[in-house]
Amino acid sequence: MERIYDNYLKEEIYIQNYPSGLKAFVIKKPNFSKVFAGYCTHYGSVDSKFIHPETKQLIEVPDGIAHFLEHKLFEEQQGSVFDRFSKFGGMANAFTSFKSTVYYFLASNNFNENFDILLDFVQNPYFTDQNVEKEKGIIAQEIRMYQDDPGWRVYFNLLQALYVKHPVKIDIAGTIESINKITKEDLYTCYNTFYHPSNMIILVCGDVNEKEVFEKIEKSQKITKYQSLIERVLPDEPNYINEKNIEINLSVSSPLFYIGFKDNLNELTPKETINKELTMHILNELLFGKSTKLYNDLYEQGLINQNFAFDYNCENDYSFVIVGGESINPKKTYDVIIDYISKYKQHGINEDDFERSKRVVVGSILRKFDNIEKISVEFINSYFKCVNLFDYAKEIENIKIEDCMKRLNEVYSYNNSAISIINPV
């Protein structure tokens, strides 16, 4: 067992490696009443094509299968896993992202009982031809629901506009057509490949005894043999965007919009990835934060409201800036933002604004460590990017104004951007 104490953040983490390749982490949170426990696989919606680690054959499975697997794992021969958690007061859930699938529970009491259930059900899939067919109807209904969800549509339409080939442009749940192709055998192939311990981690965050947690994990393990790394097969994504504008009509009271800037700087070392993310977060704050001239001009013109927001999504093989919200005139807002950025590049970044934005980003990083769920989800996402979450707060001191100026010129351009709009019916 390894112990790491971060002097800067005053955070303590314990790490245990198992022969199967499984890694377990305990983030100690003394005096926190709630505990988060997650069983996580490095397997998300973009992993639909891969080289099988044993047969070395290229496998291609239908889109949406990672999310389908997430649904099916909660079903057991004797009923639903949720019923078992509810007996001990555990609030269980799961989510599938582009890059990972996470099963977790939150509990204030009966941690051991809830943890036993988590360790058990994730390792015991129960797929039959009948229950797979039944699930297709349930997930198809979910996909239809998302098709009517304006927030979901405006987001995925933007990704469709930004990306030409990368599977990040495909809905995490897949399509009704793709999920209808999924078989019991497909599910077992993906489960046996991506749910191998060497591709998974277990994270517990809270006021727990780390030794007892690691012993419990060790006793629960069904697979002890190591599996070689999985080779994911992704298409070569061109640097240009796919479409400039995607516009649809839905039942909304006010137009919704997302503007995206495609970032083509990917496949970096962990330290470079952290620096890139921090630089982009500072830049977003400099350009779109509530104290900026742009924000206040847009607000005073009535082009945005309090729902205006921005973010930077960064993975090893794709990354993009997203800006948006509600607007009475999304296209005019787009023009104003592009024009503002063009002038901003000419004037350069003000030193005081840079330092202020840096402090805002530091504050947002530190606040996450007071929230059990946020720190857990951020830790999982960072781990699967081969990045240490604790390094962000320290590395930000190394970000210079010149780094931001360089990235400003590289990423925020009209040619790199696209807009997705939902208009009222």
Side-chain angles (χ1 to χ4, degrees):
M1 180 170 67
E2 181 186 359
R3 174 185 179 269
I4 296 174
Y5 183 76
D6 190 291
N7 283 314
Y8 184 84
L9 294 167
K10 312 295 180 199
E11 296 286 345
E12 185 178 24
I13 185 165
Y14 289 84
I15 306 165
Q16 180 71 45
N17 296 301
Y18 298 90
S20 61
L22 178 73
K23 275 181 179 278
F25 303 87
V26 171
I27 300 175
K28 294 281 281 188
K29 284 291 183 185
N31 303 318
F32 274 58
S33 59
K34 203 183 283 184
V35 179
F36 173 101
Y39 210 147
C40 327
T41 174
H42 188 194
Y43 175 46
S45 64
V46 301
D47 300 316
S48 56
K49 196 184 281 190
F50 55 93
I51 306 293
H52 194 281
E54 290 183 0
T55 66
K56 305 301 177 190
Q57 287 184 321
L58 175 65
I59 307 283
E60 188 165 5
V61 290
D63 293 328
I65 196 165
H67 172 257
F68 202 109
L69 244 176
E70 176 215 309
H71 267 239
K72 286 309 305 163
L73 222 55
F74 278 104
E75 187 174 336
E76 300 178 309
Q77 194 163 7
Q78 60 272 36
S80 167
V81 175
F82 290 111
D83 294 338
R84 287 209 276 158
F85 276 109
S86 65
K87 285 181 186 173
F88 296 103
M91 195 180 77
N93 210 335
F95 62 85
T96 305
S97 68
F98 296 122
K99 292 287 187 174
S100 65
T101 308
V102 178
Y103 303 85
Y104 68 93
F105 72 84
L106 285 157
S108 298
N109 297 297
N110 303 317
F111 167 75
N112 285 327
E113 291 83 354
N114 285 301
F115 195 42
D116 284 340
I117 298 169
L118 180 73
L119 295 174
D120 176 55
F121 89 85
V122 176
Q123 295 186 82
N124 288 288
Y126 173 63
F127 310 140
T128 66
D129 291 327
Q130 290 75 23
N131 70 21
V132 170
E133 286 306 310
K134 182 183 164 193
E135 199 68 32
K136 288 178 182 176
I138 295 168
I139 295 178
Q141 196 173 6
E142 189 179 327
I143 291 171
R144 289 190 193 96
M145 187 181 72
Y146 280 123
Q147 287 299 305
D148 291 331
D149 182 331
W152 191 261
R153 290 296 300 278
V154 71
Y155 180 74
F156 273 96
N157 284 353
L158 178 69
L159 296 184
Q160 184 76 33
L162 289 177
Y163 288 91
V164 180
K165 296 180 180 177
H166 197 289
V168 70
K169 65 190 283 187
I170 300 168
D171 193 309
I172 288 170
T175 63
I176 292 174
E177 185 184 13
S178 70
I179 64 160
N180 277 325
K181 295 175 185 170
I182 294 173
T183 65
K184 176 186 73 177
E185 289 73 23
D186 291 331
L187 291 175
Y188 275 117
T189 297
C190 291
Y191 179 86
N192 292 329
T193 303
F194 291 100
Y195 283 67
H196 189 279
S198 58
N199 193 53
M200 301 185 80
I201 63 168
I202 295 172
L203 170 68
V204 177
C205 183
D207 193 358
V208 295
N209 182 306
E210 61 281 357
K211 192 177 174 191
E212 290 175 7
V213 167
F214 293 147
E215 286 176 356
K216 199 177 263 296
I217 293 170
E218 187 167 13
K219 286 177 186 169
S220 76
Q221 289 303 291
K222 290 179 68 179
I223 297 173
T224 55
K225 187 182 171 188
Y226 183 77
Q227 172 188 271
S228 58
L229 294 177
I230 304 159
E231 185 182 341
R232 278 105 170 147
V233 180
L234 291 167
D236 290 330
E237 174 67 24
N239 288 340
Y240 55 84
I241 61 165
N242 189 33
E243 293 179 67
K244 199 70 194 166
N245 177 19
I246 296 182
E247 207 166 339
I248 62 169
N249 299 327
L250 281 176
S251 179
V252 291
S253 57
S254 176
L256 300 180
F257 75 101
Y258 272 143
I259 298 164
F261 296 89
K262 186 175 179 179
D263 185 2
N264 295 310
L265 181 62
N266 300 312
E267 297 181 0
L268 303 174
T269 65
K271 187 179 172 73
E272 289 170 338
T273 300
I274 290 174
N275 288 347
K276 182 179 83 159
E277 280 191 67
L278 290 169
T279 303
M280 295 303 293
H281 286 311
I282 294 169
L283 259 177
N284 274 345
E285 194 61 43
L286 279 163
L287 291 170
F288 311 117
K290 285 191 175 176
S291 61
T292 62
K293 183 177 183 306
L294 174 64
Y295 180 92
N296 287 290
D297 285 353
L298 290 170
Y299 197 88
E300 283 172 11
Q301 292 176 56
L303 290 172
I304 60 169
N305 59 22
Q306 70 279 3
N307 294 325
F308 182 76
F310 51 89
D311 200 4
Y312 180 61
N313 292 266
C314 176
E315 292 292 343
N316 295 333
D317 46 299
Y318 67 87
S319 47
F320 57 91
V321 174
I322 185 165
V323 185
E326 296 175 354
S327 175
I328 53 171
N329 192 338
K331 287 180 179 172
K332 185 177 178 186
T333 307
Y334 183 31
D335 291 340
V336 171
I337 288 174
I338 292 294
D339 183 58
Y340 176 83
I341 290 173
S342 175
K343 290 174 180 165
Y344 195 87
K345 286 178 182 176
Q346 294 170 18
H347 295 145
I349 299 171
N350 176 282
E351 184 74 36
D352 290 340
D353 291 343
F354 172 72
E355 292 300 330
R356 176 188 50 75
S357 297
K358 213 171 174 180
R359 288 195 295 273
V360 171
V361 175
V362 170
S364 70
I365 293 170
L366 297 180
R367 277 195 298 277
K368 289 174 186 169
F369 286 88
D370 289 330
N371 184 304
I372 290 279
E373 288 178 74
K374 278 187 181 174
I375 186 178
S376 299
V377 172
E378 290 281 340
F379 182 90
I380 294 161
N381 291 339
S382 298
Y383 178 81
F384 288 140
K385 280 192 282 192
C386 303
V387 165
N388 183 351
L389 178 66
F390 293 173
D391 287 343
Y392 283 88
K394 286 174 281 190
E395 285 296 327
I396 198 164
E397 288 307 315
N398 296 324
I399 307 298
K400 308 295 180 200
I401 200 166
E402 294 78 16
D403 302 323
C404 286
M405 202 62 222
K406 182 170 182 289
R407 296 256 62 212
L408 175 67
N409 287 313
E410 287 175 346
V411 181
Y412 300 85
S413 75
Y414 177 74
N415 290 339
N416 265 1
S417 69
I419 184 167
S420 163
I421 301 171
I422 305 284
N423 290 312
V425 175

